[in-house]
Amino acid sequence: MKKTSWTSKLTSSLTAGAAALMLFAGFASAHVTVNPTVAQTGAWQTYSIKIPSEKELPTTKVTLKVPKGVAFKQYQPLAGWKISTEKNDSNEVTSITWEVDGDNEGILAGQFQQFNFVAQNPDAETEVAWDAFQYYSDGSIVEWTGGPSDSNPHSITAISQDPAATGNATAGGGHDSAGTAGNAGHDDKTAAGDDTKTNDDATLGDALNDTVTGEPNNTNSDPGTLKLQQATLIVSILALIMSFLGIALATRRKRR
């Protein structure tokens, strides 16, 4: 029997390590996420939920739970999707659902879809968790409700009085593009006797305009994405170390 050469063993080990790494990276990057991950206290914020299809099946429905303390205001309509909300006894929206409509096949394998909506953040600093439920065409459901270290984590948004100091200089999203200054202007107008409802309606219009023309805030600096990149690097290093250890052991046995 022909003995396997040292280079062949090295190539096989590296190929196996690379395959494992790509598999891990594929699963790690397929999470449902809500952006921005840092936002201003009390602000009317434009949020975007991003849903990739991680199975070889289309996603046909997505339900997002509205975190406690977050006041849902409005959603952006999207062709091919039927949008509905659920409310509690206090007439507060507790969840929003996007479901395929008409000839829409849903989010196919290798694709993703983003849905935009506006909500008002809590007045106090906190962290809000976005529980999401992803429905596939075969009736299976993936629940994105776990903690950061779980396989199906929910997205978290840090609500901060100073988003820039927390790591998101563009997360203002307040009553106008000035963020905190916009809130101050709103308070001044209210004190001067202006109609509060009229001002709030204008604020909602501004937020929806940001939804239509803008991009999701701070997508590239998502802490969850950074953690996944770090984990991918660690797995890559470990795979290489294991490969070289395997080569060393094989060489040692051969010499014996």
Side-chain angles (χ1 to χ4, degrees):
M1 181 181 295
K2 186 178 179 180
K3 294 182 179 180
T4 304
S5 66
W6 184 89
T7 54
S8 296
K9 291 179 181 178
L10 175 61
T11 302
S12 299
S13 298
L14 291 177
T15 301
L21 174 62
M22 291 178 65
L23 180 63
F24 171 81
F27 284 119
S29 61
H31 294 170
V32 169
T33 55
V34 176
N35 281 295
T37 56
V38 182
Q40 177 75 50
T41 52
W44 288 55
Q45 181 72 53
T46 300
Y47 284 101
S48 178
I49 178 173
K50 180 179 179 181
I51 304 98
S53 261
E54 61 178 1
K55 296 184 179 181
E56 293 300 320
L57 293 168
T59 294
T60 56
K61 185 171 75 170
V62 176
T63 294
L64 179 69
K65 297 293 185 181
V66 179
K68 185 177 180 180
V70 175
F72 177 86
K73 296 298 182 182
Q74 191 62 277
Y75 60 82
Q76 180 184 8
L78 185 65
W81 292 90
K82 178 174 61 177
I83 305 173
S84 59
T85 58
E86 288 189 1
K87 298 181 179 180
N88 58 19
D89 294 339
S90 300
N91 205 35
E92 299 169 329
V93 174
T94 56
S95 69
I96 178 170
T97 297
W98 294 266
E99 187 172 5
V100 292
D101 190 26
D103 296 331
N104 182 15
E105 296 181 11
I107 309 169
L108 305 181
Q111 298 180 356
F112 72 89
Q113 180 66 59
Q114 291 188 157
F115 302 115
N116 301 318
F117 61 96
V118 175
Q120 187 171 18
N121 295 329
D123 292 328
E125 290 192 325
T126 186
E127 286 189 346
V128 296
W130 304 92
D131 286 342
F133 301 84
Q134 183 175 12
Y135 296 77
Y136 285 90
S137 60
D138 64 348
S140 60
I141 306 173
V142 178
E143 299 184 3
W144 301 96
T145 58
S149 61
D150 292 343
S151 57
N152 295 331
H154 49 206
S155 271
I156 295 177
T157 297
I159 308 299
S160 172
Q161 293 183 1
D162 188 359
T166 310
N168 186 355
T170 62
H175 283 73
D176 58 20
S177 60
T180 304
N183 290 331
H186 173 60
D187 292 339
D188 291 341
K189 290 181 181 179
T190 303
D194 289 353
D195 183 10
T196 301
K197 183 179 185 304
T198 301
N199 192 36
D200 283 347
D201 289 343
T203 298
L204 177 57
D206 292 341
L208 290 175
N209 184 63
D210 290 342
T211 302
V212 174
T213 62
E215 295 293 336
N217 291 333
N218 201 35
T219 301
N220 293 330
S221 59
D222 185 347
T225 301
L226 295 177
K227 289 180 179 179
L228 292 175
Q229 292 173 346
Q230 293 171 355
T232 301
L233 178 60
I234 292 172
V235 170
S236 177
I237 294 173
L238 289 175
L240 289 175
I241 292 174
M242 294 300 294
S243 297
F244 284 119
L245 285 176
I247 293 169
L249 289 174
T251 303
R252 186 174 180 182
R253 292 194 187 98
K254 183 178 179 181
R255 289 177 179 175
R256 290 179 176 177

